């Protein structure tokens, strides 16, 4: 079975541009979460979506937005890119949004975004 | 914040045992995860503790004490491939991660 997939693998943008990152969850998983990981730090929570609804948002500016589609895939959009947005963007999928029990989040390979 | 703290780096010899500690300052979470992350790759799931006590999975064990705000990951019979960053994360629908502990295994 395929794991979480993300595209593109790498991306180079310049300041002020916008970017769209894509994620396909594990088959049967209905929840997708997005994380930003800056070098040397742990991942930071950006969004969680479940059944196309936003279920949680981390401490990120409004330049960051996301959505989930009927097939449970998701997009993360970042507008007006800043140098500080350079990071590894990780998508994780899980069965449900409750976060309880053993609702493990499984991570995709990530998209490495470089902003010049 | 939840002030999740882990040591930055640890070094150990192949075949040895290493214990990675994780402390936190919150009581409101469902459980605590440990993930392994090799350089340039995604985190991969290692273990999940919901209740206090020890969870053993092969060479890896994880322990949780909610009353002490403390967890550890124990890696036994270290192998070179265990060189990686180890992340503890609190789970309350979203994951809140520590900065990670980089473990280097030397021959």
């Amino acid at each position: 079975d395929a794991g979480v997939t993300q595209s593109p693998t790498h991306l180079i943008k310049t300041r002020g541009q916008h970017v769209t990152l894509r994620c396909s969850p594990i088959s049967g998983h209905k929840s997708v979460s997005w994380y930003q990981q800056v070098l040397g730090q742990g991942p930071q929570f950006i969004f969680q979506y479940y059944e196309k609804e936003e279920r949680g948002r981390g401490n990120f500016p409004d330049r960051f937005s996301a959505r989930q589609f009927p097939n449970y895939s998701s997009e993360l959009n970042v507008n007006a890119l800043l140098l500080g947005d350079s990071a590894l963007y990780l998508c994780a999928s899980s069965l449900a949004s409750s976060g309880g029990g053993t609702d493990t989040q499984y991570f995709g390979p990530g998209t490495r975004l470089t902003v010049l | 914040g939840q002030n999740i703290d882990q040591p930055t780096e640890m070094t150990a010899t192949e075949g040895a045992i290493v214990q990675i500690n994780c402390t936190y300052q919150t009581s409101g979470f469902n459980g605590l995860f440990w993930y392994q992350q090799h350089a340039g790759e995604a985190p991969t799931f290692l273990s999940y503790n919901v209740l206090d006590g020890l969870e053993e999975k092969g060479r890896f064990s994880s322990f949780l004490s909610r009353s002490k705000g403390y967890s550890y990951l124990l890696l036994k019979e270290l192998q070179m491939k265990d060189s990686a960053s180890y992340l503890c994360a609190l789970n309350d629908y979203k994951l809140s991660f520590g900065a990670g502990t980089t473990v280097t295994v030397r021959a």
Side-chain angles (χ1 to χ4, degrees):
Chain A
D1 286 342
V4 179
T5 59
Q6 292 186 244
S7 63
T9 306
H10 296 86
L11 202 53
I12 299 175
K13 293 285 188 178
T14 56
R15 282 178 297 175
Q17 288 188 310
H18 71 273
V19 67
T20 298
L21 310 180
R22 295 178 175 82
C23 170
S24 292
I26 293 170
S27 178
H29 284 194
K30 298 182 178 181
S31 183
V32 169
S33 299
W34 288 94
Y35 294 83
Q36 180 196 65
Q37 186 174 25
V38 175
L39 194 63
Q41 297 181 20
Q44 298 294 312
F45 173 74
I46 310 176
F47 285 109
Q48 186 183 81
Y49 276 78
Y50 176 69
E51 292 282 13
K52 298 176 289 180
E53 297 287 331
E54 181 183 305
R55 289 302 179 92
R57 182 186 184 116
N59 188 25
F60 280 81
D62 292 343
R63 298 185 296 107
F64 288 76
S65 63
R67 56 180 176 169
Q68 187 177 34
F69 299 99
N71 66 353
Y72 304 111
S73 67
S74 177
E75 285 183 353
L76 175 69
N77 295 284
V78 187
N79 294 323
L81 284 167
L82 303 174
L83 296 179
D85 295 331
S86 295
L88 179 67
Y89 287 85
L90 294 163
C91 172
S93 79
S94 59
L95 281 171
S97 71
S98 66
T102 57
D103 195 20
T104 302
Q105 293 193 25
Y106 296 93
F107 286 85
T111 294
R112 173 73 62 187
L113 173 65
T114 301
V115 182
L116 302 176
Chain B
Q2 292 159 316
N3 295 324
I4 302 166
D5 292 317
Q6 303 178 234
T8 304
E9 295 181 342
M10 302 182 74
T11 301
T13 305
E14 196 173 16
I17 298 173
V18 69
Q19 177 174 315
I20 306 169
N21 296 326
C22 172
T23 59
Y24 56 87
Q25 297 177 2
T26 184
S27 58
F29 64 99
N30 294 312
L32 189 145
F33 281 102
W34 283 95
Y35 283 85
Q36 179 192 60
Q37 187 175 28
H38 285 98
E41 299 182 10
T44 56
F45 168 73
L46 289 179
S47 67
Y48 184 49
N49 292 73
V50 177
L51 303 175
D52 283 5
L54 189 67
E55 294 280 343
E56 297 186 87
K57 296 179 75 173
R59 294 190 299 114
F60 295 172
S61 303
S62 59
F63 172 84
L64 175 66
S65 170
R66 286 178 178 266
S67 62
K68 295 182 179 178
Y70 168 69
S71 173
Y72 68 73
L73 179 70
L74 195 68
L75 285 63
K76 293 177 275 190
E77 301 171 14
L78 280 172
Q79 302 175 9
M80 300 298 288
K81 67 179 181 179
D82 296 330
S83 292
S85 179
Y86 291 85
L87 300 158
C88 70
L90 298 177
N91 179 27
D92 64 349
Y93 87 86
K94 68 182 187 299
L95 296 179
S96 298
F97 285 89
T101 299
T102 299
V103 172
T104 302
V105 180
R106 294 182 174 170

